[in-house]
Amino acid sequence: MPPYLSMVRINEADAPAEGPSAELMQRMGALIEEMTKAGVLLDTAGLTPTAQGTRVTWSGGKLSTTDGPFTESKEVVGGYALMQCKDMAEAVEWAKRFLTIHEEHWTVTSEIREIFEG
């Protein structure tokens, strides 16, 4: 079964300043437990806000670093899930389940890509 990476994208400007609600965290925990028991979830985590991050860029033969927050970003990766699924359709179904446990005020996108193993 191939591995898939689900990058969970959020708009930091629209996300609640206090972070996910206790109820959302409980729903996430239940889904994570279900995915783990199903043998699908290999790893998952949320990421700290971009204000606490640094970007390293290689361009024109030079390295540069930029400390967050990254104001030019509308969407940022807020977390990820590493899954092992029978196919892309199964990975998409798990991602849909994850997205729909969020309250309506969240705008969350999941970009799912198969991990290339050469």
Side-chain angles (χ1 to χ4, degrees), residues 80-115:
Y80 71 91
L82 180 59
M83 304 177 285
Q84 191 162 9
C85 302
K86 64 183 177 192
D87 54 27
M88 177 64 84
E90 181 184 15
V92 168
E93 286 306 312
W94 284 112
K96 286 179 179 179
R97 289 192 55 197
F98 175 77
L99 295 179
T100 59
I101 66 173
H102 288 74
E103 294 95 352
E104 290 184 11
H105 61 269
W106 284 89
T107 300
V108 187
T109 303
S110 180
E111 179 182 335
I112 304 150
R113 296 174 56 189
E114 185 174 343
I115 295 175

PDB file of all heavy atoms in Angstrom, residues 80-115:
ATOM      1  N   TYR A  80      -0.286  17.972   9.311  1.00  0.00           N
ATOM      2  CA  TYR A  80      -0.142  16.943   8.293  1.00  0.00           C
ATOM      3  C   TYR A  80      -0.591  15.599   8.839  1.00  0.00           C
ATOM      4  O   TYR A  80      -0.691  15.404  10.057  1.00  0.00           O
ATOM      5  CB  TYR A  80       1.321  16.834   7.819  1.00  0.00           C
ATOM      6  CG  TYR A  80       2.218  16.239   8.875  1.00  0.00           C
ATOM      7  CD1 TYR A  80       2.445  14.860   8.927  1.00  0.00           C
ATOM      8  CD2 TYR A  80       2.799  17.025   9.851  1.00  0.00           C
ATOM      9  CE1 TYR A  80       3.246  14.311   9.923  1.00  0.00           C
ATOM     10  CE2 TYR A  80       3.587  16.488  10.842  1.00  0.00           C
ATOM     11  CZ  TYR A  80       3.810  15.126  10.871  1.00  0.00           C
ATOM     12  OH  TYR A  80       4.579  14.582  11.865  1.00  0.00           O
ATOM     13  N   ALA A  81      -0.860  14.695   7.918  1.00  0.00           N
ATOM     14  CA  ALA A  81      -1.111  13.298   8.276  1.00  0.00           C
ATOM     15  C   ALA A  81      -0.389  12.442   7.255  1.00  0.00           C
ATOM     16  O   ALA A  81      -0.511  12.656   6.039  1.00  0.00           O
ATOM     17  CB  ALA A  81      -2.604  12.974   8.266  1.00  0.00           C
ATOM     18  N   LEU A  82       0.381  11.511   7.726  1.00  0.00           N
ATOM     19  CA  LEU A  82       1.056  10.543   6.873  1.00  0.00           C
ATOM     20  C   LEU A  82       0.248   9.255   6.957  1.00  0.00           C
ATOM     21  O   LEU A  82       0.094   8.683   8.039  1.00  0.00           O
ATOM     22  CB  LEU A  82       2.496  10.323   7.341  1.00  0.00           C
ATOM     23  CG  LEU A  82       3.335   9.344   6.540  1.00  0.00           C
ATOM     24  CD1 LEU A  82       3.449   9.772   5.080  1.00  0.00           C
ATOM     25  CD2 LEU A  82       4.718   9.223   7.157  1.00  0.00           C
ATOM     26  N   MET A  83      -0.315   8.847   5.818  1.00  0.00           N
ATOM     27  CA  MET A  83      -1.216   7.700   5.788  1.00  0.00           C
ATOM     28  C   MET A  83      -0.703   6.645   4.822  1.00  0.00           C
ATOM     29  O   MET A  83      -0.022   6.969   3.853  1.00  0.00           O
ATOM     30  CB  MET A  83      -2.616   8.134   5.321  1.00  0.00           C
ATOM     31  CG  MET A  83      -3.244   9.236   6.131  1.00  0.00           C
ATOM     32  SD  MET A  83      -4.857   9.744   5.477  1.00  0.00           S
ATOM     33  CE  MET A  83      -4.361  10.687   4.020  1.00  0.00           C
ATOM     34  N   GLN A  84      -1.080   5.419   5.074  1.00  0.00           N
ATOM     35  CA  GLN A  84      -0.795   4.330   4.148  1.00  0.00           C
ATOM     36  C   GLN A  84      -2.145   3.753   3.742  1.00  0.00           C
ATOM     37  O   GLN A  84      -2.852   3.170   4.565  1.00  0.00           O
ATOM     38  CB  GLN A  84       0.074   3.261   4.796  1.00  0.00           C
ATOM     39  CG  GLN A  84       0.610   2.265   3.805  1.00  0.00           C
ATOM     40  CD  GLN A  84       1.791   1.509   4.373  1.00  0.00           C
ATOM     41  OE1 GLN A  84       2.110   1.596   5.540  1.00  0.00           O
ATOM     42  NE2 GLN A  84       2.445   0.752   3.526  1.00  0.00           N
ATOM     43  N   CYS A  85      -2.524   3.975   2.486  1.00  0.00           N
ATOM     44  CA  CYS A  85      -3.849   3.611   1.997  1.00  0.00           C
ATOM     45  C   CYS A  85      -3.733   2.739   0.764  1.00  0.00           C
ATOM     46  O   CYS A  85      -2.709   2.751   0.079  1.00  0.00           O
ATOM     47  CB  CYS A  85      -4.649   4.868   1.654  1.00  0.00           C
ATOM     48  SG  CYS A  85      -4.852   6.001   3.058  1.00  0.00           S
ATOM     49  N   LYS A  86      -4.809   2.023   0.451  1.00  0.00           N
ATOM     50  CA  LYS A  86      -4.776   1.149  -0.720  1.00  0.00           C
ATOM     51  C   LYS A  86      -4.691   1.944  -2.015  1.00  0.00           C
ATOM     52  O   LYS A  86      -4.135   1.473  -3.000  1.00  0.00           O
ATOM     53  CB  LYS A  86      -5.965   0.195  -0.727  1.00  0.00           C
ATOM     54  CG  LYS A  86      -7.304   0.859  -0.838  1.00  0.00           C
ATOM     55  CD  LYS A  86      -8.430  -0.148  -0.770  1.00  0.00           C
ATOM     56  CE  LYS A  86      -9.746   0.611  -0.821  1.00  0.00           C
ATOM     57  NZ  LYS A  86     -10.883  -0.189  -0.493  1.00  0.00           N
ATOM     58  N   ASP A  87      -5.252   3.178  -2.017  1.00  0.00           N
ATOM     59  CA  ASP A  87      -5.208   4.017  -3.213  1.00  0.00           C
ATOM     60  C   ASP A  87      -5.560   5.452  -2.842  1.00  0.00           C
ATOM     61  O   ASP A  87      -5.889   5.752  -1.685  1.00  0.00           O
ATOM     62  CB  ASP A  87      -6.154   3.487  -4.302  1.00  0.00           C
ATOM     63  CG  ASP A  87      -7.582   3.297  -3.830  1.00  0.00           C
ATOM     64  OD1 ASP A  87      -8.016   3.991  -2.882  1.00  0.00           O
ATOM     65  OD2 ASP A  87      -8.278   2.450  -4.408  1.00  0.00           O
ATOM     66  N   MET A  88      -5.506   6.343  -3.833  1.00  0.00           N
ATOM     67  CA  MET A  88      -5.792   7.757  -3.607  1.00  0.00           C
ATOM     68  C   MET A  88      -7.229   7.955  -3.125  1.00  0.00           C
ATOM     69  O   MET A  88      -7.492   8.800  -2.260  1.00  0.00           O
ATOM     70  CB  MET A  88      -5.553   8.562  -4.887  1.00  0.00           C
ATOM     71  CG  MET A  88      -5.892  10.035  -4.775  1.00  0.00           C
ATOM     72  SD  MET A  88      -4.887  10.972  -3.595  1.00  0.00           S
ATOM     73  CE  MET A  88      -3.469  11.344  -4.618  1.00  0.00           C
ATOM     74  N   ALA A  89      -8.158   7.176  -3.636  1.00  0.00           N
ATOM     75  CA  ALA A  89      -9.558   7.322  -3.238  1.00  0.00           C
ATOM     76  C   ALA A  89      -9.733   7.110  -1.735  1.00  0.00           C
ATOM     77  O   ALA A  89     -10.469   7.851  -1.077  1.00  0.00           O
ATOM     78  CB  ALA A  89     -10.439   6.350  -4.035  1.00  0.00           C
ATOM     79  N   GLU A  90      -9.047   6.114  -1.181  1.00  0.00           N
ATOM     80  CA  GLU A  90      -9.144   5.880   0.255  1.00  0.00           C
ATOM     81  C   GLU A  90      -8.522   7.034   1.028  1.00  0.00           C
ATOM     82  O   GLU A  90      -9.073   7.485   2.042  1.00  0.00           O
ATOM     83  CB  GLU A  90      -8.474   4.564   0.653  1.00  0.00           C
ATOM     84  CG  GLU A  90      -8.598   4.292   2.141  1.00  0.00           C
ATOM     85  CD  GLU A  90      -7.867   3.049   2.620  1.00  0.00           C
ATOM     86  OE1 GLU A  90      -7.013   2.508   1.887  1.00  0.00           O
ATOM     87  OE2 GLU A  90      -8.142   2.634   3.759  1.00  0.00           O
ATOM     88  N   ALA A  91      -7.382   7.539   0.568  1.00  0.00           N
ATOM     89  CA  ALA A  91      -6.730   8.671   1.232  1.00  0.00           C
ATOM     90  C   ALA A  91      -7.652   9.898   1.219  1.00  0.00           C
ATOM     91  O   ALA A  91      -7.760  10.616   2.222  1.00  0.00           O
ATOM     92  CB  ALA A  91      -5.400   8.990   0.560  1.00  0.00           C
ATOM     93  N   VAL A  92      -8.335  10.123   0.108  1.00  0.00           N
ATOM     94  CA  VAL A  92      -9.267  11.255   0.001  1.00  0.00           C
ATOM     95  C   VAL A  92     -10.422  11.089   0.983  1.00  0.00           C
ATOM     96  O   VAL A  92     -10.847  12.052   1.631  1.00  0.00           O
ATOM     97  CB  VAL A  92      -9.767  11.409  -1.453  1.00  0.00           C
ATOM     98  CG1 VAL A  92     -10.942  12.368  -1.545  1.00  0.00           C
ATOM     99  CG2 VAL A  92      -8.632  11.875  -2.359  1.00  0.00           C
ATOM    100  N   GLU A  93     -10.949   9.882   1.107  1.00  0.00           N
ATOM    101  CA  GLU A  93     -12.061   9.648   2.037  1.00  0.00           C
ATOM    102  C   GLU A  93     -11.656   9.947   3.476  1.00  0.00           C
ATOM    103  O   GLU A  93     -12.422  10.558   4.219  1.00  0.00           O
ATOM    104  CB  GLU A  93     -12.595   8.222   1.908  1.00  0.00           C
ATOM    105  CG  GLU A  93     -13.402   8.007   0.640  1.00  0.00           C
ATOM    106  CD  GLU A  93     -14.541   9.015   0.483  1.00  0.00           C
ATOM    107  OE1 GLU A  93     -15.311   9.240   1.442  1.00  0.00           O
ATOM    108  OE2 GLU A  93     -14.651   9.600  -0.615  1.00  0.00           O
ATOM    109  N   TRP A  94     -10.469   9.535   3.885  1.00  0.00           N
ATOM    110  CA  TRP A  94      -9.999   9.845   5.240  1.00  0.00           C
ATOM    111  C   TRP A  94      -9.844  11.358   5.411  1.00  0.00           C
ATOM    112  O   TRP A  94     -10.187  11.914   6.450  1.00  0.00           O
ATOM    113  CB  TRP A  94      -8.694   9.130   5.550  1.00  0.00           C
ATOM    114  CG  TRP A  94      -8.862   7.673   5.847  1.00  0.00           C
ATOM    115  CD1 TRP A  94      -8.442   6.622   5.080  1.00  0.00           C
ATOM    116  CD2 TRP A  94      -9.488   7.085   6.989  1.00  0.00           C
ATOM    117  NE1 TRP A  94      -8.779   5.427   5.683  1.00  0.00           N
ATOM    118  CE2 TRP A  94      -9.424   5.684   6.861  1.00  0.00           C
ATOM    119  CE3 TRP A  94     -10.110   7.610   8.127  1.00  0.00           C
ATOM    120  CZ2 TRP A  94      -9.935   4.801   7.803  1.00  0.00           C
ATOM    121  CZ3 TRP A  94     -10.633   6.733   9.075  1.00  0.00           C
ATOM    122  CH2 TRP A  94     -10.548   5.347   8.910  1.00  0.00           C
ATOM    123  N   ALA A  95      -9.309  12.027   4.401  1.00  0.00           N
ATOM    124  CA  ALA A  95      -9.139  13.487   4.477  1.00  0.00           C
ATOM    125  C   ALA A  95     -10.494  14.181   4.599  1.00  0.00           C
ATOM    126  O   ALA A  95     -10.643  15.132   5.380  1.00  0.00           O
ATOM    127  CB  ALA A  95      -8.382  13.993   3.261  1.00  0.00           C
ATOM    128  N   LYS A  96     -11.485  13.714   3.857  1.00  0.00           N
ATOM    129  CA  LYS A  96     -12.828  14.299   3.947  1.00  0.00           C
ATOM    130  C   LYS A  96     -13.386  14.153   5.353  1.00  0.00           C
ATOM    131  O   LYS A  96     -13.976  15.089   5.900  1.00  0.00           O
ATOM    132  CB  LYS A  96     -13.774  13.620   2.954  1.00  0.00           C
ATOM    133  CG  LYS A  96     -13.552  14.020   1.515  1.00  0.00           C
ATOM    134  CD  LYS A  96     -14.529  13.258   0.622  1.00  0.00           C
ATOM    135  CE  LYS A  96     -14.381  13.619  -0.827  1.00  0.00           C
ATOM    136  NZ  LYS A  96     -15.321  12.841  -1.684  1.00  0.00           N
ATOM    137  N   ARG A  97     -13.176  12.995   5.947  1.00  0.00           N
ATOM    138  CA  ARG A  97     -13.664  12.771   7.315  1.00  0.00           C
ATOM    139  C   ARG A  97     -12.983  13.735   8.278  1.00  0.00           C
ATOM    140  O   ARG A  97     -13.621  14.276   9.177  1.00  0.00           O
ATOM    141  CB  ARG A  97     -13.437  11.327   7.733  1.00  0.00           C
ATOM    142  CG  ARG A  97     -14.377  10.383   6.980  1.00  0.00           C
ATOM    143  CD  ARG A  97     -14.410   9.003   7.518  1.00  0.00           C
ATOM    144  NE  ARG A  97     -14.735   8.960   8.936  1.00  0.00           N
ATOM    145  CZ  ARG A  97     -14.516   7.899   9.706  1.00  0.00           C
ATOM    146  NH1 ARG A  97     -13.977   6.799   9.199  1.00  0.00           N
ATOM    147  NH2 ARG A  97     -14.825   7.923  10.982  1.00  0.00           N
ATOM    148  N   PHE A  98     -11.670  13.945   8.089  1.00  0.00           N
ATOM    149  CA  PHE A  98     -10.950  14.868   8.956  1.00  0.00           C
ATOM    150  C   PHE A  98     -11.489  16.288   8.806  1.00  0.00           C
ATOM    151  O   PHE A  98     -11.717  16.985   9.789  1.00  0.00           O
ATOM    152  CB  PHE A  98      -9.444  14.835   8.657  1.00  0.00           C
ATOM    153  CG  PHE A  98      -8.678  15.857   9.441  1.00  0.00           C
ATOM    154  CD1 PHE A  98      -8.395  15.656  10.791  1.00  0.00           C
ATOM    155  CD2 PHE A  98      -8.260  17.031   8.849  1.00  0.00           C
ATOM    156  CE1 PHE A  98      -7.715  16.615  11.530  1.00  0.00           C
ATOM    157  CE2 PHE A  98      -7.571  17.991   9.578  1.00  0.00           C
ATOM    158  CZ  PHE A  98      -7.304  17.779  10.917  1.00  0.00           C
ATOM    159  N   LEU A  99     -11.698  16.728   7.581  1.00  0.00           N
ATOM    160  CA  LEU A  99     -12.160  18.098   7.361  1.00  0.00           C
ATOM    161  C   LEU A  99     -13.546  18.332   7.945  1.00  0.00           C
ATOM    162  O   LEU A  99     -13.812  19.392   8.523  1.00  0.00           O
ATOM    163  CB  LEU A  99     -12.166  18.429   5.862  1.00  0.00           C
ATOM    164  CG  LEU A  99     -10.791  18.445   5.184  1.00  0.00           C
ATOM    165  CD1 LEU A  99     -10.940  18.760   3.707  1.00  0.00           C
ATOM    166  CD2 LEU A  99      -9.836  19.408   5.849  1.00  0.00           C
ATOM    167  N   THR A 100     -14.436  17.365   7.815  1.00  0.00           N
ATOM    168  CA  THR A 100     -15.819  17.568   8.248  1.00  0.00           C
ATOM    169  C   THR A 100     -16.009  17.521   9.760  1.00  0.00           C
ATOM    170  O   THR A 100     -17.102  17.845  10.234  1.00  0.00           O
ATOM    171  CB  THR A 100     -16.773  16.568   7.573  1.00  0.00           C
ATOM    172  OG1 THR A 100     -16.372  15.231   7.887  1.00  0.00           O
ATOM    173  CG2 THR A 100     -16.799  16.761   6.064  1.00  0.00           C
ATOM    174  N   ILE A 101     -14.984  17.182  10.530  1.00  0.00           N
ATOM    175  CA  ILE A 101     -15.136  17.247  11.987  1.00  0.00           C
ATOM    176  C   ILE A 101     -14.917  18.669  12.508  1.00  0.00           C
ATOM    177  O   ILE A 101     -15.197  18.959  13.659  1.00  0.00           O
ATOM    178  CB  ILE A 101     -14.208  16.252  12.736  1.00  0.00           C
ATOM    179  CG1 ILE A 101     -12.736  16.611  12.547  1.00  0.00           C
ATOM    180  CG2 ILE A 101     -14.513  14.822  12.341  1.00  0.00           C
ATOM    181  CD1 ILE A 101     -11.782  15.778  13.396  1.00  0.00           C
ATOM    182  N   HIS A 102     -14.442  19.574  11.645  1.00  0.00           N
ATOM    183  CA  HIS A 102     -14.224  20.968  12.035  1.00  0.00           C
ATOM    184  C   HIS A 102     -15.554  21.734  12.093  1.00  0.00           C
ATOM    185  O   HIS A 102     -16.474  21.451  11.332  1.00  0.00           O
ATOM    186  CB  HIS A 102     -13.286  21.664  11.037  1.00  0.00           C
ATOM    187  CG  HIS A 102     -11.878  21.206  11.149  1.00  0.00           C
ATOM    188  ND1 HIS A 102     -11.454  19.981  10.687  1.00  0.00           N
ATOM    189  CD2 HIS A 102     -10.791  21.812  11.691  1.00  0.00           C
ATOM    190  CE1 HIS A 102     -10.170  19.845  10.938  1.00  0.00           C
ATOM    191  NE2 HIS A 102      -9.739  20.936  11.544  1.00  0.00           N
ATOM    192  N   GLU A 103     -15.605  22.715  12.986  1.00  0.00           N
ATOM    193  CA  GLU A 103     -16.775  23.587  13.054  1.00  0.00           C
ATOM    194  C   GLU A 103     -16.877  24.420  11.784  1.00  0.00           C
ATOM    195  O   GLU A 103     -15.893  24.581  11.055  1.00  0.00           O
ATOM    196  CB  GLU A 103     -16.676  24.524  14.271  1.00  0.00           C
ATOM    197  CG  GLU A 103     -16.741  23.824  15.618  1.00  0.00           C
ATOM    198  CD  GLU A 103     -15.377  23.497  16.225  1.00  0.00           C
ATOM    199  OE1 GLU A 103     -14.348  23.671  15.534  1.00  0.00           O
ATOM    200  OE2 GLU A 103     -15.338  23.050  17.367  1.00  0.00           O
ATOM    201  N   GLU A 104     -18.050  24.979  11.541  1.00  0.00           N
ATOM    202  CA  GLU A 104     -18.311  25.715  10.300  1.00  0.00           C
ATOM    203  C   GLU A 104     -17.450  26.961  10.134  1.00  0.00           C
ATOM    204  O   GLU A 104     -17.219  27.402   9.013  1.00  0.00           O
ATOM    205  CB  GLU A 104     -19.787  26.090  10.211  1.00  0.00           C
ATOM    206  CG  GLU A 104     -20.686  24.899   9.972  1.00  0.00           C
ATOM    207  CD  GLU A 104     -22.143  25.296   9.800  1.00  0.00           C
ATOM    208  OE1 GLU A 104     -22.438  26.492   9.652  1.00  0.00           O
ATOM    209  OE2 GLU A 104     -22.978  24.378   9.819  1.00  0.00           O
ATOM    210  N   HIS A 105     -16.962  27.557  11.223  1.00  0.00           N
ATOM    211  CA  HIS A 105     -16.175  28.784  11.089  1.00  0.00           C
ATOM    212  C   HIS A 105     -14.747  28.525  10.586  1.00  0.00           C
ATOM    213  O   HIS A 105     -14.039  29.465  10.253  1.00  0.00           O
ATOM    214  CB  HIS A 105     -16.146  29.575  12.407  1.00  0.00           C
ATOM    215  CG  HIS A 105     -15.534  28.841  13.550  1.00  0.00           C
ATOM    216  ND1 HIS A 105     -16.287  28.063  14.408  1.00  0.00           N
ATOM    217  CD2 HIS A 105     -14.254  28.752  13.982  1.00  0.00           C
ATOM    218  CE1 HIS A 105     -15.494  27.536  15.323  1.00  0.00           C
ATOM    219  NE2 HIS A 105     -14.249  27.931  15.090  1.00  0.00           N
ATOM    220  N   TRP A 106     -14.330  27.266  10.525  1.00  0.00           N
ATOM    221  CA  TRP A 106     -13.002  26.930  10.000  1.00  0.00           C
ATOM    222  C   TRP A 106     -13.047  26.867   8.483  1.00  0.00           C
ATOM    223  O   TRP A 106     -14.012  26.392   7.894  1.00  0.00           O
ATOM    224  CB  TRP A 106     -12.549  25.567  10.516  1.00  0.00           C
ATOM    225  CG  TRP A 106     -12.078  25.561  11.932  1.00  0.00           C
ATOM    226  CD1 TRP A 106     -12.849  25.372  13.035  1.00  0.00           C
ATOM    227  CD2 TRP A 106     -10.751  25.739  12.390  1.00  0.00           C
ATOM    228  NE1 TRP A 106     -12.081  25.420  14.165  1.00  0.00           N
ATOM    229  CE2 TRP A 106     -10.773  25.649  13.789  1.00  0.00           C
ATOM    230  CE3 TRP A 106      -9.534  25.968  11.749  1.00  0.00           C
ATOM    231  CZ2 TRP A 106      -9.634  25.782  14.569  1.00  0.00           C
ATOM    232  CZ3 TRP A 106      -8.393  26.097  12.522  1.00  0.00           C
ATOM    233  CH2 TRP A 106      -8.457  26.004  13.915  1.00  0.00           C
ATOM    234  N   THR A 107     -11.977  27.317   7.848  1.00  0.00           N
ATOM    235  CA  THR A 107     -11.742  27.062   6.430  1.00  0.00           C
ATOM    236  C   THR A 107     -10.478  26.214   6.375  1.00  0.00           C
ATOM    237  O   THR A 107      -9.390  26.687   6.701  1.00  0.00           O
ATOM    238  CB  THR A 107     -11.548  28.362   5.631  1.00  0.00           C
ATOM    239  OG1 THR A 107     -12.728  29.154   5.769  1.00  0.00           O
ATOM    240  CG2 THR A 107     -11.291  28.068   4.162  1.00  0.00           C
ATOM    241  N   VAL A 108     -10.655  24.950   6.018  1.00  0.00           N
ATOM    242  CA  VAL A 108      -9.559  23.986   6.057  1.00  0.00           C
ATOM    243  C   VAL A 108      -9.525  23.247   4.729  1.00  0.00           C
ATOM    244  O   VAL A 108     -10.557  22.839   4.208  1.00  0.00           O
ATOM    245  CB  VAL A 108      -9.756  22.961   7.210  1.00  0.00           C
ATOM    246  CG1 VAL A 108      -8.545  22.075   7.360  1.00  0.00           C
ATOM    247  CG2 VAL A 108     -10.075  23.654   8.510  1.00  0.00           C
ATOM    248  N   THR A 109      -8.348  23.078   4.182  1.00  0.00           N
ATOM    249  CA  THR A 109      -8.149  22.353   2.929  1.00  0.00           C
ATOM    250  C   THR A 109      -7.119  21.263   3.174  1.00  0.00           C
ATOM    251  O   THR A 109      -6.162  21.463   3.916  1.00  0.00           O
ATOM    252  CB  THR A 109      -7.613  23.306   1.838  1.00  0.00           C
ATOM    253  OG1 THR A 109      -8.530  24.384   1.679  1.00  0.00           O
ATOM    254  CG2 THR A 109      -7.409  22.596   0.516  1.00  0.00           C
ATOM    255  N   SER A 110      -7.320  20.131   2.543  1.00  0.00           N
ATOM    256  CA  SER A 110      -6.339  19.063   2.629  1.00  0.00           C
ATOM    257  C   SER A 110      -5.812  18.771   1.228  1.00  0.00           C
ATOM    258  O   SER A 110      -6.583  18.449   0.331  1.00  0.00           O
ATOM    259  CB  SER A 110      -6.986  17.799   3.217  1.00  0.00           C
ATOM    260  OG  SER A 110      -6.031  16.774   3.289  1.00  0.00           O
ATOM    261  N   GLU A 111      -4.526  18.926   1.065  1.00  0.00           N
ATOM    262  CA  GLU A 111      -3.870  18.560  -0.198  1.00  0.00           C
ATOM    263  C   GLU A 111      -3.229  17.194   0.012  1.00  0.00           C
ATOM    264  O   GLU A 111      -2.402  17.022   0.898  1.00  0.00           O
ATOM    265  CB  GLU A 111      -2.804  19.584  -0.568  1.00  0.00           C
ATOM    266  CG  GLU A 111      -2.075  19.242  -1.849  1.00  0.00           C
ATOM    267  CD  GLU A 111      -0.991  20.249  -2.187  1.00  0.00           C
ATOM    268  OE1 GLU A 111      -1.079  21.424  -1.758  1.00  0.00           O
ATOM    269  OE2 GLU A 111      -0.046  19.862  -2.881  1.00  0.00           O
ATOM    270  N   ILE A 112      -3.648  16.227  -0.789  1.00  0.00           N
ATOM    271  CA  ILE A 112      -3.189  14.849  -0.612  1.00  0.00           C
ATOM    272  C   ILE A 112      -2.303  14.484  -1.791  1.00  0.00           C
ATOM    273  O   ILE A 112      -2.695  14.633  -2.937  1.00  0.00           O
ATOM    274  CB  ILE A 112      -4.371  13.869  -0.537  1.00  0.00           C
ATOM    275  CG1 ILE A 112      -5.296  14.319   0.585  1.00  0.00           C
ATOM    276  CG2 ILE A 112      -3.888  12.449  -0.326  1.00  0.00           C
ATOM    277  CD1 ILE A 112      -6.709  13.966   0.350  1.00  0.00           C
ATOM    278  N   ARG A 113      -1.126  13.962  -1.467  1.00  0.00           N
ATOM    279  CA  ARG A 113      -0.204  13.545  -2.526  1.00  0.00           C
ATOM    280  C   ARG A 113       0.448  12.233  -2.144  1.00  0.00           C
ATOM    281  O   ARG A 113       0.817  12.040  -0.985  1.00  0.00           O
ATOM    282  CB  ARG A 113       0.845  14.636  -2.747  1.00  0.00           C
ATOM    283  CG  ARG A 113       0.131  15.910  -3.248  1.00  0.00           C
ATOM    284  CD  ARG A 113       0.979  17.103  -3.374  1.00  0.00           C
ATOM    285  NE  ARG A 113       2.129  16.915  -4.206  1.00  0.00           N
ATOM    286  CZ  ARG A 113       3.100  17.828  -4.286  1.00  0.00           C
ATOM    287  NH1 ARG A 113       3.044  18.930  -3.591  1.00  0.00           N
ATOM    288  NH2 ARG A 113       4.145  17.616  -5.048  1.00  0.00           N
ATOM    289  N   GLU A 114       0.560  11.370  -3.138  1.00  0.00           N
ATOM    290  CA  GLU A 114       1.257  10.107  -2.913  1.00  0.00           C
ATOM    291  C   GLU A 114       2.740  10.414  -2.758  1.00  0.00           C
ATOM    292  O   GLU A 114       3.303  11.253  -3.466  1.00  0.00           O
ATOM    293  CB  GLU A 114       1.033   9.153  -4.081  1.00  0.00           C
ATOM    294  CG  GLU A 114       1.640   7.779  -3.847  1.00  0.00           C
ATOM    295  CD  GLU A 114       1.304   6.772  -4.926  1.00  0.00           C
ATOM    296  OE1 GLU A 114       0.365   6.997  -5.701  1.00  0.00           O
ATOM    297  OE2 GLU A 114       1.996   5.743  -4.992  1.00  0.00           O
ATOM    298  N   ILE A 115       3.376   9.726  -1.842  1.00  0.00           N
ATOM    299  CA  ILE A 115       4.812   9.921  -1.626  1.00  0.00           C
ATOM    300  C   ILE A 115       5.559   9.086  -2.670  1.00  0.00           C
ATOM    301  O   ILE A 115       5.342   7.883  -2.799  1.00  0.00           O
ATOM    302  CB  ILE A 115       5.205   9.518  -0.192  1.00  0.00           C
ATOM    303  CG1 ILE A 115       4.509  10.482   0.784  1.00  0.00           C
ATOM    304  CG2 ILE A 115       6.727   9.533  -0.020  1.00  0.00           C
ATOM    305  CD1 ILE A 115       4.707  10.130   2.227  1.00  0.00           C
TER     306      ILE A 115
END
